[in-house]
Amino acid sequence: MQIVIIGSGNVAYHMAKAFVLNSIPLAQIFGRNETELKKISEELKVPFSTENLKDADVYIICVSDNSIEAVSKIITKKDCLVTHTSGSLSKEILAGEYRKSSLYPLQTFSKSKELDYSNIPFFVEADNEEDKKILFELASKISKRVMESTHEKRKYIHLTAVFACNFVNHLFSRAKEISDSQEIPFDYFLPLINETVEKIYEIEPKSAQTGPAVRNDKRILELHEQLLKDESLQIYKTMNHSIQKMYNL
Amino acid sequence: MQIVIIGSGNVAYHMAKAFVLNSIPLAQIFGRNETELKKISEELKVPFSTENLKDADVYIICVSDNSIEAVSKIITKKDCLVTHTSGSLSKEILAGEYRKSSLYPLQTFSKSKELDYSNIPFFVEADNEEDKKILFELASKISKRVMESTHEKRKYIHLTAVFACNFVNHLFSRAKEISDSQEIPFDYFLPLINETVEKIYEIEPKSAQTGPAVRNDKRILELHEQLLKDESLQIYKTMNHSIQKMYNL
């Protein structure tokens, strides 16, 4: 089976790497960014092109949601399976006469960070049993957690991930901004951050909540608001309001 | 040296346990909640009382910030060192004629969750070198990370912790609320959450940001807003606004 990955960003890089590490040969990595493609191509020993899309059985489009539709039009072949890796878009966004599908890896990808692919949940959606089987077999070589998902469900999986990952990372950014401003090493907070995550393996997050908002400690909440401004103050107020609503305070 | 811990909540329990596990005898655990004190007393083999505060050299007040002042008045002895564990309050909140100090453990404590105390950063503040030395020696038996901190700096350490821990945990609660609503097991998100935290050991959180807001993907942002309501929608908007401000989008 000939497989082509389209894209040169974080997802494309890690998907390609996951395939290669699991001895699934890739026919090509195709994209616009020659510099990035060249780097991936050299590291993974996979041919790349910015111009001539190779004939293949499966095309995996790993580009940002904004570009999927445009990129999907490059594939003019009909007898092939095309899949995208978006958490939120329908497989119908793929604009061609080929068979359409979705293969969503639930993970956050940064090029410079190594990853254990075997634990990543993959969610598969396809038009027919045969295409499902192709994607299940491919993804199962990478990960032990491959599941089916409808588009409707996948949207909520992605939304949950935005809260549990993207927003959490942004809180780390804002936290570091505060500690940096006082020359407090961010390292101090790593045991706390680890424990915050370790807890949810044992306790429901709702039962694990600590801090001034859930104690309804107005003095501390006011004191903290005086130390903050702009976006961090807005986050502080919004999060505390949400905490107090959740616990009926 | 006679040491008494005052309080029966999460912090009191873990502080008492940390002392006992490190072979520092406690003269007493004192508090109002007999049921909780009895449990702690039985587990740790430390005498407790709700009525007669034992004579001691060091009193460690581990109660919520709201109650520290009132509780500190129970100690009428003058020749002793009294410390509280608040992240935000001055040691001067302690209302007695004894020597005043602060011993702030930077960690989130839940009774049902075991903890490795040796990595917890402890921040010490006292009026004189002798008192500092007492607290440093005590805390150093529990943890390898004991440091001095002014009240000013400690307030910012606590504030950073609220973002990096309390708010992160609340995001997990709201995330789980979303996944629960669609009967999506929250387990699916654990590898993603782990990776989100592992990343910050290698990459600055600001460089690790992923998701629709930092990609300025308006279609997905709008789609997500349609799936949310109330506090979760408010969080979604506030966090995305803050992300976009941070990256000048």
Side-chain angles (χ1 to χ4, degrees):
Chain A
M1 186 178 295
Q2 297 281 306
I3 304 166
V4 166
I5 286 186
I6 302 178
S8 61
N10 296 330
V11 179
Y13 166 72
H14 280 287
M15 286 293 281
K17 193 170 167 184
F19 278 104
V20 170
L21 287 181
N22 288 289
S23 310
I24 310 165
L26 293 175
Q28 184 184 57
I29 314 179
F30 183 87
R32 277 181 314 183
N33 188 328
E34 188 162 351
T35 318
E36 287 301 315
L37 286 173
K38 208 169 171 178
K39 270 196 252 173
I40 302 173
S41 167
E42 279 171 11
E43 182 187 334
L44 305 178
K45 320 278 177 232
V46 173
F48 78 94
S49 173
T50 58
E51 285 176 357
N52 300 309
L53 185 65
K54 220 174 192 169
D55 185 81
D57 305 298
V58 179
Y59 294 91
I60 306 176
I61 300 178
C62 306
V63 301
S64 68
D65 289 7
N66 268 329
S67 314
I68 292 177
E69 189 175 354
V71 164
S72 75
K73 293 178 182 165
I74 301 169
I75 308 161
T76 50
K77 190 181 174 184
K78 290 182 186 176
D79 180 24
C80 63
L81 177 63
V82 179
T83 195
H84 70 57
T85 52
S86 163
S88 288
L89 297 179
S90 152
K91 59 185 161 53
E92 312 309 331
I93 193 115
L94 298 167
E97 291 179 57
Y98 37 71
R99 282 132 49 219
K100 297 165 187 179
S101 63
S102 142
L103 178 67
Y104 173 51
L106 178 56
Q107 189 48 282
T108 170
F109 299 99
S110 294
K111 273 187 183 159
S112 61
K113 173 72 179 64
E114 287 211 6
L115 264 174
D116 171 12
Y117 303 108
S118 69
N119 273 319
I120 300 177
F122 277 84
F123 297 93
V124 167
E125 191 191 357
D127 283 331
N128 56 64
E129 289 307 315
E130 209 170 311
D131 290 343
K132 262 180 221 166
K133 206 180 151 214
I134 292 173
L135 293 174
F136 259 90
E137 282 183 4
L138 274 181
S140 299
K141 286 186 186 167
I142 297 173
S143 165
K144 47 185 192 286
R145 305 178 81 183
V146 186
M147 289 153 282
E148 209 176 327
S149 171
T150 60
H151 174 218
E152 191 59 21
K153 202 168 175 180
R154 178 161 46 86
K155 279 193 287 188
Y156 282 96
I157 295 172
H158 185 210
L159 182 58
T160 306
V162 169
F163 277 71
C165 164
N166 302 153
F167 291 171
V168 165
N169 184 73
H170 184 61
L171 284 179
F172 294 152
S173 294
R174 289 293 180 196
K176 188 164 184 296
E177 200 174 58
I178 298 167
S179 61
D180 282 355
S181 77
Q182 306 297 314
E183 295 175 0
I184 301 160
F186 196 61
D187 277 6
Y188 290 179
F189 301 92
L190 295 178
L192 175 71
I193 290 169
N194 277 344
E195 175 65 14
T196 305
V197 169
E198 272 183 35
K199 263 189 187 182
I200 61 166
Y201 281 77
E202 296 185 24
I203 314 173
E204 286 270 309
K206 199 174 167 181
S207 310
Q209 190 64 48
T210 57
V214 74
R215 288 198 311 268
N216 201 15
D217 191 333
K218 293 195 177 65
R219 172 158 49 177
I220 305 299
L221 295 175
E222 273 170 37
L223 186 154
H224 281 170
E225 288 188 10
Q226 286 161 17
L227 303 179
L228 292 165
K229 59 184 172 123
D230 302 333
E231 285 74 40
S232 294
L233 178 59
Q234 207 47 55
I235 290 174
Y236 193 81
K237 287 179 174 175
T238 302
M239 294 300 291
N240 286 333
H241 176 74
S242 176
I243 292 170
Q244 299 210 316
K245 274 278 183 181
M246 183 173 266
Y247 299 88
N248 300 312
L249 296 172
Chain B
M1 186 180 293
Q2 297 283 306
I3 303 165
V4 166
I5 284 185
I6 302 178
S8 60
N10 295 331
V11 179
Y13 166 72
H14 280 288
M15 286 293 282
K17 193 170 166 186
F19 278 104
V20 169
L21 288 180
N22 288 288
S23 309
I24 309 164
L26 293 175
Q28 185 183 56
I29 313 179
F30 184 86
R32 278 182 313 186
N33 188 327
E34 189 162 349
T35 318
E36 288 300 316
L37 286 173
K38 211 170 170 176
K39 270 196 250 172
I40 301 174
S41 167
E42 278 170 13
E43 181 185 336
L44 305 177
K45 319 280 177 229
V46 172
F48 79 94
S49 173
T50 58
E51 285 177 353
N52 301 309
L53 185 65
K54 221 172 191 173
D55 185 81
D57 305 298
V58 179
Y59 294 91
I60 306 175
I61 299 178
C62 307
V63 301
S64 67
D65 289 7
N66 268 330
S67 314
I68 291 177
E69 190 175 352
V71 165
S72 76
K73 292 179 182 164
I74 302 167
I75 307 161
T76 50
K77 191 181 173 184
K78 291 181 187 177
D79 181 23
C80 63
L81 178 62
V82 178
T83 197
H84 69 57
T85 52
S86 164
S88 289
L89 296 179
S90 153
K91 59 186 161 54
E92 312 309 329
I93 194 114
L94 298 166
E97 293 179 54
Y98 38 72
R99 282 136 45 221
K100 296 164 188 179
S101 62
S102 143
L103 178 68
Y104 173 52
L106 177 56
Q107 190 47 283
T108 170
F109 298 100
S110 292
K111 272 185 185 162
S112 61
K113 173 72 180 64
E114 286 210 7
L115 264 174
D116 171 11
Y117 302 108
S118 69
N119 273 319
I120 300 176
F122 276 86
F123 297 94
V124 167
E125 191 192 359
D127 285 331
N128 56 64
E129 290 306 315
E130 210 171 312
D131 289 343
K132 262 179 221 166
K133 205 180 152 215
I134 292 173
L135 293 174
F136 260 89
E137 282 182 5
L138 274 180
S140 298
K141 286 187 186 164
I142 296 172
S143 165
K144 48 185 190 286
R145 304 178 82 184
V146 186
M147 288 152 284
E148 209 176 328
S149 172
T150 60
H151 174 217
E152 190 59 20
K153 202 168 174 179
R154 178 161 46 85
K155 278 192 289 189
Y156 282 95
I157 295 171
H158 185 210
L159 182 58
T160 306
V162 169
F163 276 71
C165 164
N166 303 153
F167 290 171
V168 165
N169 183 72
H170 184 60
L171 284 179
F172 294 152
S173 295
R174 289 292 181 197
K176 188 165 185 298
E177 200 175 58
I178 298 166
S179 61
D180 282 355
S181 77
Q182 306 296 315
E183 294 175 2
I184 301 160
F186 196 62
D187 277 4
Y188 291 177
F189 301 92
L190 294 177
L192 176 70
I193 290 170
N194 277 345
E195 175 64 15
T196 305
V197 169
E198 271 182 37
K199 264 190 187 180
I200 61 166
Y201 281 78
E202 295 184 24
I203 313 174
E204 285 271 309
K206 199 174 165 180
S207 310
Q209 190 65 48
T210 57
V214 75
R215 286 198 313 268
N216 201 16
D217 192 333
K218 292 196 176 67
R219 171 158 48 178
I220 305 298
L221 295 174
E222 272 170 37
L223 187 153
H224 282 170
E225 286 188 12
Q226 286 161 16
L227 302 179
L228 293 165
K229 57 183 174 130
D230 303 334
E231 284 73 41
S232 294
L233 178 59
Q234 206 49 56
I235 290 174
Y236 193 81
K237 287 179 174 177
T238 302
M239 294 300 289
N240 285 334
H241 176 75
S242 176
I243 291 170
Q244 301 210 314
K245 273 278 183 180
M246 183 174 264
Y247 299 86
N248 299 312
L249 296 170

